[in-house]
């Protein structure tokens, strides 16, 4: 049959293939907790990063005690994407971790269905601002404890108590370097967002 011939009776029209639904998710947390690594581990495209070298001036402002080998820092955002299945594609936006870049957050978070707040248990104070932000904006989020060197300094119950997050906020351990671990953490946030839409 040529393209100009009409379909005959009994011939089904070809199914329309719809592109996956785009969904925005934010990866947040303090300085050096693994946000850029998280996006890079899972993204199916080469991630867009806005890394800048840490200068002597910045080193005097940002605490490098637990990240002595860190030589760059995110100064705007990280971006990547991952197709979850044929119906859903996640667009990941990583926030800068330093408080001085907080003015960007509203623009980065706008339209997001949820957030993953990454924490380093050696310095929980660094993630308070991210937790407070998502709570204040009433955006579903999960707390993901990054297992630096394969271990965490405190139990998940202790982390929940220290952050004072409700029982409705999942607190989990993950490894920002491992694709499968990142995927599982993102799926937890997606489930939260879906549950919110069904309420």
């Amino acid at each position: 049959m040529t393209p100009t011939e009409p379909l005959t009776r009994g011939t089904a029209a070809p199914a329309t293939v719809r592109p996956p639904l785009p969904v925005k998710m934010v990866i947040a947390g303090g300085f050096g907790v693994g946000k850029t690594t998280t996006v890079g581990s899972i993204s199916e495209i080469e991630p867009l990063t806005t890394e800048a070298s840490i200068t002597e001036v910045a080193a005097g402002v940002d605490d490098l005690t637990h990240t002595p080998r860190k030589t760059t820092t995110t100064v705007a955002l990280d971006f990547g994407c991952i197709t979850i299945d044929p119906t859903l594609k996640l667009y990941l936006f990583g926030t800068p971790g330093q408080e001085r870049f907080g003015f960007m957050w509203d623009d980065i978070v706008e339209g997001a269905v949820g957030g993953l707040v990454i924490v380093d248990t050696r310095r929980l104070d660094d993630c308070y601002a991210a937790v407070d932000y998502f709570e204040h904006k009433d955006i579903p989020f999960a707390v993901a404890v990054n297992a630096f060197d394969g271990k965490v300094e405190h139990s998940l119950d202790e982390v929940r108590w220290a952050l004072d997050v409700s029982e409705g906020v999942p607190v989990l351990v993950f490894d920002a370097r491992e694709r499968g671990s990142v995927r599982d953490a993102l799926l937890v946030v997606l489930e939260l967002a879906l549950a919110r839409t069904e309420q």
Side-chain angles (χ1 to χ4, degrees):
M1 181 173 69
T2 66
T4 56
E5 289 180 38
L7 292 174
T8 58
R9 182 182 297 273
T11 304
T16 302
V17 178
R18 294 183 178 170
L21 178 70
V23 175
K24 181 178 183 179
M25 188 177 294
V26 174
I27 312 298
F31 171 73
V33 296
K35 300 180 297 296
T36 300
T37 301
T38 297
V39 173
S41 294
I42 194 77
S43 180
E44 63 194 17
I45 63 170
E46 184 70 27
L48 167 69
T49 62
T50 54
E51 294 285 289
S53 296
I54 297 176
T55 63
E56 289 184 18
V57 173
V61 176
D62 301 321
D63 183 4
L64 300 175
T65 304
H66 295 288
T67 55
R69 294 188 300 273
K70 188 171 176 61
T71 59
T72 61
T73 185
T74 300
V75 295
L77 59 83
D78 298 312
F79 173 78
C81 64
I82 178 68
T83 303
I84 299 297
D85 61 35
T87 67
L88 187 66
K89 187 166 189 170
L90 270 186
Y91 289 91
L92 306 173
F93 290 77
T95 65
Q98 301 93 322
E99 192 173 322
R100 64 183 179 276
F101 295 123
F103 66 92
M104 301 179 185
W105 276 51
D106 284 344
D107 290 331
I108 294 173
V109 172
E110 184 176 0
V113 299
L116 186 69
V117 176
I118 302 175
V119 304
D120 179 350
T121 55
R122 299 169 299 182
R123 46 198 175 98
L124 283 173
D125 291 1
D126 290 355
C127 72
Y128 289 150
V131 169
D132 289 345
Y133 184 91
F134 286 105
E135 287 180 338
H136 178 71
K137 294 288 186 178
D138 195 28
I139 297 173
F141 72 99
V143 172
V145 177
N146 196 0
F148 285 91
D149 300 320
K151 62 182 180 180
V152 295
E153 297 292 323
H154 302 283
S155 72
L156 295 185
D157 285 341
E158 289 172 327
V159 172
R160 180 181 297 282
W161 177 85
L163 298 181
D164 192 27
V165 292
S166 72
E167 289 298 322
V169 175
V171 179
L172 53 104
V173 175
F174 89 127
D175 189 328
R177 301 164 300 178
E178 295 185 3
R179 181 180 178 88
S181 186
V182 172
R183 178 204 60 213
D184 292 346
L186 296 176
L187 289 176
V188 168
V189 180
L190 272 179
E191 289 173 3
L192 277 181
L194 180 60
R196 176 73 64 91
T197 64
E198 293 175 345
Q199 288 179 354

